[in-house]
Structure formats: structure tokens, C-alpha cells
Amino acid sequence: MRNLIGAKRLFPGALAAGVVLVIGAITVPLIWGHDDGHVAIKPAILVPAPPSAAAPSGPISLVHGARAADGIEVGFPHTPIGAVSAASEYVDAAASTLDPDYAASVMRVAGDPGNTALPSSLATSILKLRSELQLRSDGSLDPPVTFQTTAQMYQLRNVAADDVLVLLLTDSTFVNAQGGTAQTTGVFPVQMRWIAGDWKIGAIGRTGQDYSALAAIPDTQAAVKQGWLALIAATGGAS
């Protein structure tokens, strides 16, 4: 398996039933869904769907949630921008940890309570991630080992008042025990649903659609040509 020290940014592999990131020769699965069955793959959508009257069609400034719960912000506005902001907050947290217990905790807060498999599915994905990164399977990891993911750009599909598919284009950076770094780009399809007064994750990856053709380096003309729109970080913090 290829040494990650000094590896440069590479593109993700095919996205099928889940989210797949590739760093060097290492395939890193982040597979979250309601069921364990295979999802039929349809041709990739290369052109963004026309936005509804209420949906943003350009760069957006992310907004904060109204409060914090278990280390993440919750209580986002009941708007498409609120859905994108929630998706960004939840994915950044859930995909920026190598601790399966914390990942499951994030999903218990951020996930649709009707999808009871989400926390355990995410914890399993983090264990797979550790294995692919040649890290021990259990216990805490000593600094400087980290895996940090940040949503950089977005697209929307199927925008409705209480349901929207948010596509996030992310940057991830892995730092190994020797301080070597590797970067990768990922496409996260996140099904967001308005439940009990907040946006929740219904599913990540298992959308029945392959969005791998949309992969691009964030904040480049190539990304813009693929329909990606910029995300501007929120200022301040949750109350």
C-alpha cells in the first residue's frame, strides 16, 4: 500500500451506494444509509437541476444553528440555506473524526430518528476509514494523526419545503503519525429532511444516484463548470 507522506491532492473514485474518497492508492469508504442493500446506479447528473423560486442559485453565506448539542450546531432555519448550512455542519463534524463513538454520537443528534441504522453505519465507516489509513482499529490516536473534512461548495436537487438533496464538494486532509499529509476531494450527497423543527440527515450517499462525475477541485473553474456554487463560512457562533 502506498505511503501517504507527501501525497498530493487526488480525485475520488466512483460514488455508488455510498460516499467514497480516494487518497493515493487507498480507497476510503464513508458509507452511510438506511439499509444494507445495493442501490441501483443511474447515470450521473452533470447539469444542476433548475432551482425553485425559494432556492438559492449562487454562492451562499452559511448560517449558524440556534444552539449547540453534543459539540455540533442544531436549530437551523427552515429554508434551503438552512438545509445547506445544516448539511455542511453535520458532514464537517461526522467526516472529521477518527473516533467511531463520536461519529455515532453526531449522527444520533443530526440524523433522522426514524433511520436508526445511521449511527452504527457511520461508526462502522469510521472503523473502515482507520483500517484504510493503516491505523489501529481501536483506542485513541496520538497527535498529529487527524482527518479533517470541510465542505467547500454545494449544489441542490429536488428542493421542497421539507426535503432537499444537498450535494457537498469537500476537501479532506489526512495527517499521519509522522506528520505527512495527503489531501482528497469528495462528493457527499446528503438527503436533508425537516423533522421536529430542525433539519436532519435522512441519508448520506444512498440516494440511488451516482454523482462521481461531478468531482472537481473546489474553488476552480473546473468545479464551476460542473455546477458547483461557493459556500461562505458563517461568522460568529451559535448562541
Side-chain angles (χ1 to χ4, degrees), residues 24 43-44 59 61 65 91-92 101 114 136 175 181 192 201 209 233:
S61 295
V91 167
D92 284 2
D101 292 334
R136 63 174 180 268
V175 180
T181 64
M192 300 299 293
I201 291 177
Q209 184 74 52

Side-chain angles (χ1 to χ4, degrees), residues 38 47 61 65 83 92 115 157 189 195 204:
H38 295 288
V47 179
S61 295
D92 284 2
N115 188 345
R157 299 287 189 278
I195 299 172
I204 302 181

Side-chain angles (χ1 to χ4, degrees), residues 41-46 208-211:
I41 302 306
K42 303 175 183 178
I45 297 174
L46 299 181
Q209 184 74 52
D210 179 7
Y211 292 101

Side-chain angles (χ1 to χ4, degrees), residues 64-69 72-76 196-198 200 238-239:
H64 286 291
R67 61 192 183 280
I72 61 172
E73 293 184 12
V74 296
F76 289 89
D198 201 2
K200 300 288 187 179
S239 56

Side-chain angles (χ1 to χ4, degrees), residues 184-217:
T184 188
T185 297
V187 177
F188 283 75
V190 190
Q191 190 67 51
M192 300 299 293
R193 296 173 182 151
W194 183 257
I195 299 172
D198 201 2
W199 289 106
K200 300 288 187 179
I201 291 177
I204 302 181
R206 292 184 182 273
T207 62
Q209 184 74 52
D210 179 7
Y211 292 101
S212 60
L214 297 178
I217 297 177

Side-chain angles (χ1 to χ4, degrees), residues 56-173:
S57 58
I60 64 170
S61 295
L62 296 172
V63 298
H64 286 291
R67 61 192 183 280
D70 288 350
I72 61 172
E73 293 184 12
V74 296
F76 289 89
H78 191 188
T79 64
I81 291 178
V84 175
S85 298
S88 176
E89 171 75 5
Y90 302 158
V91 167
D92 284 2
S96 294
T97 181
L98 293 169
D99 181 345
D101 292 334
Y102 174 71
S105 175
V106 169
M107 203 50 55
R108 281 191 289 269
V109 173
D112 178 351
N115 188 345
T116 57
L118 277 173
S120 61
S121 294
L122 182 51
T124 298
S125 291
I126 297 302
L127 289 173
K128 290 179 180 178
L129 174 60
R130 287 172 69 135
S131 175
E132 293 289 349
L133 295 176
Q134 299 179 308
L135 303 172
R136 63 174 180 268
S137 61
D138 56 13
S140 60
L141 298 169
D142 295 329
V145 176
T146 57
F147 192 88
Q148 181 70 39
T149 296
T150 304
Q152 301 284 3
M153 305 186 84
Y154 82 100
Q155 295 186 34
L156 297 179
R157 299 287 189 278
N158 308 322
V159 179
D162 297 332
D163 200 289
V164 58
L165 179 62
V166 179
L167 306 182
L168 295 175
L169 184 63
T170 65
D171 251 340
S172 294
T173 301

